[in-house]
Amino acid sequence: MSGTSEGGSRDAGVAIRADYPDPLWIQAVDLIRREIASGVLKPGMRLPPERELCQQLSLSRATLRKALNQLVEYGVLNASHGRGWYVAHQAVRKEWPNSLESFSETAARMGLTAASTVLRAEEVPANFDEAEELGIAPGTPLFRLERVRLLSGVPIAIDSTRMAAKLVPDIGSRDFATESLYEALSAAGIEPVRANSTIEAREADAYTAEHLNLTVGKPLLVMHQIAVDGGERPLFSSSISYAGDRYRLRTSFARSHGKGSPGH
C-alpha cells in the first residue's frame, strides 16, 4: 500500500487472504492500522484512490468502503468529500479500541451471524470456589450456562458461565439459544464494565472435541474471565474454550517512556 504526501510515499506488502477466517474488510482495517502504527502511513497523508486500493488489496469497492468507514469511526482516518481519505493527525497517538463485547456484538461487528447451542442451563448451589470467585456465600443459588458458540454456522467455542441467579430474577426461563446474556443483565439494570482475563493453551478433551468438531488433542485457547460492574462487584465468571485454528486474539501493548536502562 502507498500513500501520498509532500514528503513522498512508501510501499508495503499486502497481507489480505481470502482463506483467513476474518472477513476481508476486517483484514483491510487491520492492515491499514498496522501501516499507520509502523509509520508507513503518516498523519495527514492521503491514501491512494479507491480504485487503486481495490486493485492493491484485491477487494470490491463495497468491502473497501466498509473498512474505510470503520477506520473513520475509530478516528484513524478522515474523509474529505471529493478529495479522498486521509490519515488523522492524532492517529499515531490514538489507542485502538479494546472494549468488552458480548459474543453477539463481536459477531455483528465482524459481519457474521452468531448462534448458540445450549448444553446446560441450570440453577445449583454455589460451591466454595465459585462462592469465593463471585463474592457470594457458599450455597447461594447459582445459574450455570454452558453453550456452544457458532459464527455463521461454524462452532467456535464452548462458553461456560456462572453467576448468582438473583441478578436476573427470571433467568431460568430465558432461551439462551437466541438471547444474549449481556442483554438479560442490561434489562435487569446491570452493566458489566470490565473483565479480568487470563488465557492459556490446552489440548481438547473428548467432550470439547465432540462439540467443536475437533480431533482429541487439538489445541485450544482457553480464556477465563471475571466480569465486574462499576463498583468492582463480580457479576459472572466464564471459561471459554476456543478452537485454536478458528480464533485469534488481538490486543496492543504500549511501552512507557523511561523504561529500561542505557545499553539494554
Side-chain angles (χ1 to χ4, degrees):
M1 182 184 300
S2 61
T4 59
S5 68
E6 293 182 357
S9 66
R10 293 179 59 186
D11 294 329
V14 175
I16 290 182
R17 296 277 300 275
D19 58 342
Y20 277 15
D22 292 338
L24 296 180
W25 72 271
I26 288 183
Q27 293 186 52
V29 167
D30 289 344
L31 174 63
I32 295 171
R33 294 192 334 186
R34 289 196 300 270
E35 299 292 88
I36 293 171
S38 66
V40 173
L41 294 175
K42 296 178 173 59
M45 183 177 286
R46 180 168 62 87
L47 269 62
E50 289 185 12
R51 179 177 296 180
E52 184 178 337
L53 276 176
C54 287
Q55 292 175 345
Q56 287 183 13
L57 304 179
S58 298
L59 298 176
S60 68
R61 181 69 66 88
T63 300
L64 176 67
R65 285 264 179 98
K66 187 172 185 178
L68 296 176
N69 283 321
Q70 183 65 66
L71 288 164
V72 170
E73 184 175 331
Y74 286 165
V76 175
L77 297 181
N78 291 322
S80 177
H81 183 68
R83 298 184 61 193
W85 305 83
Y86 290 80
V87 180
H89 283 283
Q90 75 274 22
V92 172
R93 300 186 299 271
K94 185 177 178 67
E95 294 182 0
W96 308 124
N98 188 21
S99 58
L100 177 62
E101 295 179 321
S102 71
F103 187 81
S104 300
E105 290 167 341
T106 301
R109 176 173 55 80
M110 296 175 66
L112 301 173
T113 302
S116 297
T117 300
V118 177
L119 302 177
R120 176 186 299 177
E122 60 185 5
E123 192 172 306
V124 296
N127 62 36
F128 284 97
D129 290 337
E130 293 165 337
E132 181 178 3
E133 187 175 54
L134 294 173
I136 57 179
T140 299
L142 194 73
F143 183 69
R144 288 183 182 170
L145 176 64
E146 186 174 66
R147 293 170 288 178
V148 178
R149 313 308 298 269
L150 303 96
L151 288 177
S152 296
V154 178
I156 300 296
I158 294 180
D159 182 348
S160 179
T161 300
R162 299 160 297 281
M163 59 179 283
K166 65 181 180 181
L167 291 180
V168 181
D170 62 343
I171 194 165
S173 65
R174 293 178 175 264
D175 180 9
F176 286 105
T178 56
E179 293 190 56
S180 164
L181 180 61
Y182 276 66
E183 290 179 0
L185 287 166
S186 181
I190 298 169
E191 296 292 344
V193 300
R194 183 173 57 82
N196 298 318
S197 306
T198 60
I199 299 174
E200 60 182 325
R202 288 187 183 175
E203 294 182 348
D205 58 18
Y207 179 82
T208 304
E210 177 186 357
H211 290 293
L212 294 182
N213 294 334
L214 298 173
T215 303
V216 173
K218 282 290 187 178
L220 302 172
L221 282 177
V222 182
M223 178 184 292
H224 303 280
Q225 286 190 329
I226 299 179
V228 301
D229 63 13
E232 296 296 308
R233 175 182 59 155
L235 298 177
F236 61 84
S237 65
S238 63
S239 296
I240 311 172
S241 299
Y242 293 95
D245 61 347
R246 302 171 201 162
Y247 176 79
R248 288 185 290 174
L249 175 69
R250 290 186 178 86
T251 187
S252 59
F253 299 93
R255 182 172 174 82
S256 302
H257 293 296
K259 293 289 186 182
S261 57
H264 295 278

